[in-house]
Structure formats: structure tokens, C-alpha cells
Amino acid sequence: MIVLDKVDKVFPGSTIPAVNQISFQIDEGNICVFVGPSGCGKTTILRMINRLVEPTGGEIYIKGKKVSDKEVNPDELRREIGYVIQQIGLMPHRTVEQNVALVPRLLKWPEEKISLRVKELLETVGLDAEEVSRKYPYQLSGGMMQRVGVARALAADPPIMLMDEPFGAVDPIVRGRLQDEFLRLQKALKKTICFVTHDINEAIKMGDHIVIMNKGELVQHGTPMEILCNPANYFVKDLIGTDREIKLLELTKSEELVTRTKNIPEQIIEKDSFILAIDPVQRALEIMMKKNSDLVGVRDGAEMIGTISWEDIKKHINMISGDN
Amino acid sequence: MDFEMDRFMIALLDRSPPHALEHLQLVLIPVVVAFIIAFTAAVLLTRERYVKYTDRVMTVFNIGQTIPPLAVIAVFFPFLGLGREPALFALTIYALLPIARNTLAGLKGVPGDVKDAARGMGMTEWEMLFKVEIPLSMPVVMAGIKISVVLTSGTAALGALVGGGGMGAVIFAGIDFFRAELIVAGTLIIGVIAITLDRLLTLIDDMLTPPHMKA
Amino acid sequence: MTPLSLALALFWFSNFYDEYLGFIQFIIRRWDRVIEYTFNHFSLVLTVMFFSLILWISVGLIISRYEKLASTAFGIGNILFVIPSISLFGIFITIPMLGLGRTSAALALILYAMMPMIRNVYRGIKSVEWPILDAARGMGMSAKQILFQIQIPIAWPIIFAGIRVTVVMITGIATVATFIGERNLGRFIHHGIARESADMIIAGAVIVSVIAILLDFVLGKIEYKITSPGLRRV
């Protein structure tokens, strides 16, 4: 869906590339999360996809079409890509309704269609359309503003969404809720999403695919599981290790996460993917990787006591990260 | 423009200096007196007893600023007659508003928690005023004085109308006789006075402003 | 109230009226002049505002886009502001093409309008926060759409505040144009001083002040009205 081919960006007045020879691809319907410390180039990559920043080298393709093609008008390109940023950037002089309707109006949709769409979207992101559509941004809470920001980006139903720390400005509890809701929404919408964050926990939770960056270089990319199990180098280890929650996977016993059941699925027995109840959860991840499945069985001695799934582990990471 | 350099030099060097001195007085005396009055009034108005009136007084000041300068200069003439003193009086009234407005805004703008902290450390009302409120409001107060100086040095040119002398005498003579040399010379000196005073105030401001508040 | 004190009060008031409120009689007596001068006053102010709005809003928009020009423009504005109004009028009348009259008065006043106008346009445009512009760009608004749908509407209350200050200021300074031949409200003050007529001076000063205050008040109300409720944070 989105392909980056040796993309470079050197900002004027700087000799060090902000983004250096990055190539990879994002599949349709996936959430790809860029994660890394500030200044690593993750936001620059995002902004190059909708040409808010022009690359100095390489090519970006969307659905096989060159983004930098002379025939592509950047404004029209952007109208077909949803864009959400941490500071949201709601238009303060316009009501919630007008904010959400911004892109449809740019695209000159008929007004009846717009008003239906706005109502539908506000409900989709969990807002009471009746209540909020006439309000101005300053009358909303941080969480509500983020929801409006997401609704606005979804308004014209763009196949691609770019989200730069979209939940970064709200407190951890609201953030967790917004993440959950967004994942639920994504299941139905199946957008292709580029998501930027500096929070590895958020990356693991949201991402189908994670791209770890440092100083403009791509350090590692892969599924969350691959990254958790096989960190490519010390930088990645450090990134996941500095987060107490993930380190805790080594300290949590599998028995704490196990879903107790007598019915162990066939595939587990076939592949012999078992761990012991006293093994750390980290071990479950390793087995999942090795056997290429997202479910492992748990044994207490010889007795099979239940299973642990990748979902369970993600939930667990989330739960402990919500604690701090 | 009918402009002769010789005439201009005569206007600037022979005719203007005595008026320049008068003009300087027409600026300095009103601004200093206005500062003393406005500052005292603003300090009183921000004390707890009177603080409830500050908004209303502020509104009056804001309205006062819309009154045209010529009206301010002229309106006292019928009561006080011609001369230097009436001109000084009118200019003082005129200089008062920007200073009062800014001083009031400055003192009001001192954050409540800073005052609370100061009170919590056991400062008396006086100590608080001199060690906390006045220093912290200094930049805004100085800005008000600067505005006042620039406005007053221009308006003082109208002081000549009511017999106050100053550079206005030279400028009005230039208008009456269509002599650009006189007008330009007079304007130049007023400009020098205004800019010099502004620079001086900037220097004082630099010395008085607490280091952390400097840009 | 006893009849005596009432009589005393009446006496005091009639004295007060004779001495200080004579200007009311003057206004009534010279009503035709008041109308004429007020009309002239406003036609000058309107002319000046018409050109100032076109010129200075454009300049303000240009300098908010080209940062390098901004400091030059503000420098010029500041110098103009230091020049006393009477000098600016005076300098214009000595230019042969212009001479005494309306053109000189209008030109001087337009120059005076520069500073408050461009400062507020600049400040208004700069008050639009970066994320708002970034989001607007990211959603595919063109530069023109951003200027007209985002930047100007958000800056509008600040720009209008500048217009309000300018109108009030120009109304005030226009009185000084009487010294270069304008027949406006300043003339009451000008001639009042020459003839040492207190009533005339006070009449002029009061009329002009009341007009300035009223203008400020009315424009303030309009300013509030046209501000988007979303920008009206108290």
C-alpha cells in the first residue's frame, strides 16, 4: 500500500540527514508504528508521506503511484490522507461540526451528505453528536478534542491515516481508553495507518508492525512479537528494557496469565508448544515465535492447566503500563 | 518642497535651542509629576481595601485615553488662562493615563501565588510592596512611562497654542509662513528628545528589571 | 428639602450653568456649524480609513509572511509615531503639489494609521498557532484557503481591535488638521483659543471627546459581536 524506497531527508542548514536511506513497506489495512526517541526522524517520515515535508532523495509510492509525481497536487493528495497530530490543531473559531466537516467541504460534498457523515462520525468516535456538534473546541476536554481530531481525519473516509502521537496529550487513563476504542474502530474500518509514538508500550499495543528508528536510521522492524523476542541490538534492547513493564515480562510467571481450561486446542498439542507454569511470560513469547502461533499451552508438571495467547500478553503489558 | 539648507541650519541652531529646553521641560515635568500621582494612586488602588474598584477605574482610564490630545490641551485654557503652567497642567493630565493604566495593570498582574508565598514567608505589607510587587511589575510600569514620554513629547507641541512655548512655537511658525525648514527643524528636535528619553528609560529599565524577567 | 435650600441650590446651579455650561448654549446656537464641522470631520476620517484599511491590511499581511520586511516596517512605523501630528500635517502642506487642504490632511493621517494597523494585523496572523496551520495543511487546504478560512478569521478580532484603535485615534488627531485649513470639529478649539471664547473651546473639546468615546464604545460592541464565540475565551 505504502512503499518507501531509499528515502532521504536532509533539512536545509543541516548536514546530518534527519532520515537516512529508509526503505520498507506498509501493507493495506495494517497499523504501522514508528517508534524511537525524539529527533529520530519518525515524524519526518510521516510528514513525507503526505508531502508536508519533501524528501531530498528516494521515492514514496502509495498504491503504486509516485507521491512526488508532478501530476500529483499535494493539496489533493492530502485530502485523501487522514492526518491527526498530538496538538490536534482544531480550528478554534469553528464549531465541532465545522471542524469535522472541513475536508468534506473542501471536497465539495453535498451539504446533506456532510451533515449525516458528521453525525455518524461523532457517534463512531464515542461522542454525543447532539451535544457536541455546536460546541467550540475550548469547551471540550482533552479527550473529547482528541476524539474530534480523529473524527475530522476520518471524515472523508480516507484509505490512509497518518497519526503523530495522536493520544499523547491526554492523561494515561484516557489514553488507554482512546487506544482501545481506536483499535476496535480499526477492526471495522481497516485503514492503512502510520502511527508515530515515542512510547514502546503504545507501539506494542497498537502496532501490527513496528519500525524502530534512531538518528534517522531504521534500526529494526517487524511484528511486536518479533521485536520483543529478538531485539536486533542494544539500542532496541534498551528501548524495550528501559520500560519497566516490559522487563516485568521476565519476572511475571506464566501461571499468573494463564486462562485455565481443560480443552487444549489440537494445534498446541500438534506443535508441542508448551511452557511450564513457573516459566516467565517471556518464555511464552519465545515459544510463540518459534512455533509461529499466537497461543501456547501451559503445563504444571505433567498436567495441562490452560493456555496463554498473544492477546493475553498484550493486555498484561497494557495493564501494568497503565499502573504507573 | 521649497527647502533651503541655510534657513534650515538657522532654524535648527539659532532659533530652536531655547525652545528645545522649554520643550524638554514640557515633557519631563508632566511625566514625572504624572508618574508620582499615577504610581501612588495605583499602589493604593491595588491594596486589599480598594481592590474591588480597580476594574472600574481601569475602564475610566481606558475611556480617558480616547479623548483627543487637542481637547485635553485646550479644555483647561478657559479656566487657567494662557501660559506655561496651564500647559504643564494639561500635559500632566495627558501623561497620567498611560502610566496609570500600565502601573495598575502591572501591579494587578503580579501572580497571586507569588504574593501568597511572600506572605507565607512572613513579609509585611510594606515589604511585599517594595520587594515583590513593585519589582515584578517594573517592566509593565516602565513600558507605560515610555508610551507616556513619546505621546507627551508629541502633544507638547500643541502646548504652544495655550502659550506654553516649546518646539510647537517653531512648528506653528513654520505652518503659518509655509516654511518647511522650521517644521522639519522643530520635528527633528522633538524626535531627538523623545528618542533620547526613550533610550534613557530603557537603560533604567535594564537596571531595575529582575534578571529572570529579561528577554 | 426646605424652600431656602432649594432656592440656594437653584442659584448655585444657575451660576454653575452660566459659568461652566455656557458651551451647551453655544452648541444650540451654532447648531448649523456643529453639523457642518461634524460632517467634514467624519468625511475625512472615512476617507482616511478607506485607504488605510486597503493599504495597511495588505502591508500587514505581507510583513507577516516575509519576516525580514516586518522589522523595517515597524521601524518606519515607530519613527512616524514619534513625529508630532502637527509636524506631519505641516510637512505635507509645504509640499508644493499638496498645499493646504484635504489631501495633505488625509495623507498625514494615513501615515499615522500605519503603526496600529500593521501591528495588529501582524500580531493577529502570528497568533494562529502552529498546530492549527499544520493540521490545515495536512488536511489539504491550499495556501489561499488557509489564509482566508483560517488565518484571517482567527486574526480578525485582533485586526478589528486595531481598526478600532485607529478610528478613535484618527478621529482625535483629525482635530489638529484644523491648523492646516480643515473645517472640522478642531476648528471650535482653534478659533476658541484665538478668540478666547471658553464656550467655544469647551464645546469643541466636549463634542470631539464624546464622539471619540462613543465610537470606541460602539466599535467595541461590534468587535465583540463579530468575534467567533470560539475565540471569545474570557
Side-chain angles (χ1 to χ4, degrees):
Chain A
M1 183 74 172
I2 303 174
V3 177
L4 278 77
D5 184 20
K6 292 191 183 138
V7 173
D8 271 324
K9 177 66 195 180
V10 185
F11 282 106
S14 162
T15 49
I16 308 150
V19 168
N20 195 7
Q21 296 276 314
I22 299 277
S23 304
F24 65 86
Q25 101 173 46
I26 303 169
D27 296 329
E28 191 160 348
N30 267 359
I31 302 184
C32 174
V33 181
F34 299 86
V35 63
S38 60
C40 70
K42 54 191 195 291
T43 295
T44 307
I45 288 191
L46 199 79
R47 293 167 65 82
M48 283 194 287
I49 294 174
N50 66 357
R51 287 183 64 183
L52 284 172
V53 172
E54 300 282 354
T56 38
E59 281 298 342
I60 298 172
Y61 302 87
I62 294 180
K63 287 185 185 162
K65 249 184 98 179
K66 258 191 205 170
V67 163
S68 63
D69 211 341
K70 285 230 159 56
E71 273 147 46
V72 178
N73 174 327
D75 292 332
E76 279 161 24
L77 170 81
R78 289 176 199 140
R79 287 174 200 172
E80 301 188 350
I81 301 177
Y83 186 56
V84 186
I85 53 175
Q86 181 181 353
Q87 305 88 337
I88 319 168
L90 294 181
M91 311 303 160
H93 60 307
R94 298 211 172 161
T95 61
V96 168
E97 191 270 340
Q98 291 168 324
N99 266 286
V100 177
L102 205 143
V103 180
R105 291 217 166 100
L106 289 178
L107 295 171
K108 303 206 167 64
W109 286 16
E111 276 302 316
E112 314 91 79
K113 190 178 165 196
I114 294 178
S115 82
L116 282 176
R117 178 69 180 156
V118 170
K119 210 173 281 172
E120 173 198 335
L121 269 171
L122 288 174
E123 303 288 344
T124 312
V125 297
L127 292 168
D128 182 348
E130 284 289 303
E131 191 201 322
V132 299
S133 48
R134 271 159 216 272
K135 284 197 170 164
Y136 285 92
Y138 81 98
Q139 295 167 308
L140 307 178
S141 68
M144 286 163 102
M145 282 197 217
Q146 292 287 7
R147 288 165 201 263
V148 175
V150 172
R152 183 174 67 175
L154 287 168
D157 204 14
I160 298 171
M161 299 267 284
L162 306 179
M163 308 180 85
D164 191 349
E165 308 230 5
F167 310 127
V170 288
D171 66 75
I173 293 169
V174 177
R175 188 184 311 143
R177 204 181 309 143
L178 289 175
Q179 288 166 343
D180 292 339
E181 284 173 25
F182 188 75
L183 284 175
R184 205 173 316 131
L185 209 63
Q186 165 67 359
K187 266 195 188 132
L189 298 174
K190 289 276 170 229
K191 303 282 180 199
T192 306
I193 296 170
C194 299
F195 193 109
V196 162
T197 180
H198 63 268
D199 175 0
I200 185 75
N201 293 314
E202 188 172 39
I204 290 167
K205 179 172 178 180
M206 306 299 289
D208 296 309
H209 198 86
I210 293 179
V211 177
I212 294 178
M213 298 196 50
N214 187 31
K215 293 180 182 155
E217 312 269 353
L218 193 155
V219 181
Q220 186 179 7
H221 68 111
T223 64
M225 212 194 284
E226 282 165 351
I227 285 174
L228 279 178
C229 296
N230 289 323
N233 57 23
Y234 278 109
F235 177 78
V236 180
K237 249 186 217 164
D238 216 36
L239 192 72
I240 45 186
T242 45
D243 275 292
R244 193 171 52 87
E245 302 74 23
I246 290 172
K247 238 183 183 141
L248 275 176
L249 287 183
E250 290 172 30
L251 304 173
T252 314
K253 281 185 195 147
S254 300
E255 111 191 293
E256 291 175 32
L257 287 191
V258 73
T259 315
R260 288 184 190 267
T261 168
K262 292 276 177 249
N263 302 326
I264 305 298
E266 279 296 315
Q267 48 156 338
I268 293 180
I269 301 169
E270 255 171 43
K271 288 187 182 168
D272 191 28
S273 34
F274 279 104
I275 55 167
L276 294 175
I278 51 163
D279 281 338
V281 174
Q282 184 73 29
R283 175 91 186 125
L285 276 177
E286 281 159 21
I287 298 289
M288 285 179 191
M289 276 292 296
K290 216 186 305 172
K291 307 278 179 177
N292 194 20
S293 88
D294 54 6
L295 202 64
V296 292
V298 181
R299 269 192 331 216
D300 192 2
E303 187 195 355
M304 299 183 219
I305 58 168
T307 59
I308 292 180
S309 71
W310 167 236
E311 285 303 316
D312 293 332
I313 295 173
K314 278 216 277 190
K315 236 179 249 158
H316 180 65
I317 292 173
N318 264 311
M319 196 193 70
I320 35 188
S321 67
D323 278 349
N324 55 3
Chain B
M1 199 190 304
D2 185 19
F3 197 92
E4 283 172 32
M5 214 50 204
D6 297 350
R7 263 204 213 137
F8 174 67
M9 294 316 282
I10 293 170
L12 190 67
L13 300 176
D14 290 352
R15 191 149 177 195
S16 295
H19 291 291
L21 208 64
E22 281 171 7
H23 199 88
L24 192 62
Q25 290 172 344
L26 282 180
V27 179
L28 278 181
I29 296 172
V31 170
V32 170
V33 175
F35 171 72
I36 294 167
I37 297 171
F39 196 79
T40 320
V43 167
L44 278 176
L45 265 172
T46 47
R47 294 314 91 194
E48 218 155 322
R49 273 179 65 187
Y50 304 108
V51 85
K52 52 179 182 267
Y53 302 114
T54 48
D55 283 343
R56 260 175 277 169
V57 174
M58 203 69 163
T59 314
V60 174
F61 286 169
N62 283 332
I63 293 172
Q65 279 207 310
T66 63
I67 297 176
L70 183 62
V72 179
I73 297 293
V75 82
F76 296 105
F77 166 64
F79 310 107
L80 303 174
L82 280 176
R84 210 170 82 102
E85 282 75 24
L88 285 174
F89 182 79
L91 285 168
T92 306
I93 301 290
Y94 189 70
L96 206 65
L97 286 169
I99 304 181
R101 241 179 114 233
N102 275 45
T103 312
L104 206 54
L107 287 173
K108 257 184 74 172
V110 176
D113 47 354
V114 174
K115 285 196 264 186
D116 268 354
R119 203 171 290 132
M121 288 186 298
M123 282 194 182
T124 64
E125 284 291 315
W126 283 107
E127 281 172 330
M128 239 168 64
L129 179 63
F130 285 102
K131 290 185 178 162
V132 179
E133 292 174 74
I134 292 179
L136 283 181
S137 56
M138 221 52 217
V140 187
V141 176
M142 290 303 284
I145 299 176
K146 281 191 201 172
I147 296 170
S148 184
V149 162
V150 172
L151 289 178
T152 308
S153 50
T155 309
L158 299 176
L161 284 176
V162 293
M167 291 315 299
V170 179
I171 294 169
F172 275 106
I175 289 175
D176 289 344
F177 302 113
F178 279 82
R179 286 263 74 104
E181 299 88 347
L182 290 176
I183 302 173
V184 175
T187 308
L188 205 62
I189 288 175
I190 291 180
V192 169
I193 289 176
I195 291 166
T196 312
L197 289 178
D198 185 78
R199 285 291 126 86
L200 271 176
L201 285 167
T202 307
L203 277 179
I204 298 174
D205 192 14
D206 276 351
M207 289 189 296
L208 290 180
T209 305
H212 74 277
M213 292 178 77
K214 284 175 188 164
Chain C
M1 206 181 264
T2 62
L4 179 67
S5 63
L6 194 68
L8 271 175
L10 268 176
F11 176 72
W12 178 83
F13 183 76
S14 66
N15 246 356
F16 181 80
Y17 186 85
D18 284 346
E19 203 155 335
Y20 299 106
L21 298 180
F23 75 92
I24 296 175
Q25 286 174 341
F26 177 87
I27 293 173
I28 296 166
R29 209 168 56 232
R30 308 305 304 272
W31 187 243
D32 52 334
R33 274 288 153 77
V34 173
I35 297 289
E36 184 201 338
Y37 290 171
T38 309
F39 176 80
N40 286 343
H41 206 104
F42 272 107
S43 67
L44 177 63
V45 171
L46 280 177
T47 315
V48 170
M49 284 316 294
F50 176 76
F51 290 108
S52 295
L53 288 178
I54 297 173
L55 182 62
W56 301 133
I57 290 183
S58 317
V59 172
L61 291 176
I62 292 169
I63 61 170
S64 57
R65 178 146 304 189
Y66 303 100
E67 209 57 48
K68 274 182 197 154
L69 295 175
S71 54
T72 317
F74 287 133
I76 296 171
N78 270 327
I79 290 173
L80 285 174
F81 223 65
V82 177
I83 301 178
S85 48
I86 184 67
S87 309
L88 209 53
F89 287 125
I91 290 167
F92 271 103
I93 61 165
T94 61
I95 299 173
M97 299 290 287
L98 301 169
L100 282 173
R102 182 140 280 204
T103 321
S104 297
L107 284 175
L109 289 173
I110 290 171
L111 286 185
Y112 256 107
M114 177 178 178
M115 199 53 184
M117 289 289 302
I118 64 167
R119 189 184 47 208
N120 279 49
V121 174
Y122 179 85
R123 226 197 270 154
I125 295 290
K126 293 285 162 188
S127 78
V128 182
E129 288 160 14
W130 181 83
I132 294 169
L133 296 176
D134 189 56
R137 232 153 69 80
M139 285 186 301
M141 296 183 95
S142 65
K144 212 170 111 195
Q145 285 168 330
I146 292 177
L147 181 66
F148 287 104
Q149 293 181 32
I150 309 291
Q151 290 177 296
I152 292 181
I154 292 177
W156 185 232
I158 301 178
I159 297 176
F160 193 85
I163 297 175
R164 172 183 167 192
V165 170
T166 310
V167 169
V168 173
M169 192 186 82
I170 294 299
T171 307
I173 296 177
T175 54
V176 179
T178 176
F179 297 104
I180 60 164
E182 269 294 305
R183 294 171 61 82
N184 65 22
L185 292 167
R187 186 145 288 223
F188 285 132
I189 298 173
H190 181 186
H191 286 181
I193 292 172
R195 295 175 200 165
E196 294 190 40
S197 158
D199 290 346
M200 210 168 165
I201 295 173
I202 299 173
V206 167
I207 295 173
V208 163
S209 305
V210 168
I211 286 176
I213 291 166
L214 273 179
L215 265 179
D216 189 52
F217 179 78
V218 172
L219 291 171
K221 287 278 177 231
I222 298 175
E223 184 183 323
Y224 182 82
K225 262 259 163 69
I226 58 164
T227 301
S228 154
L231 299 170
R232 244 186 246 155
R233 277 167 263 188
V234 198

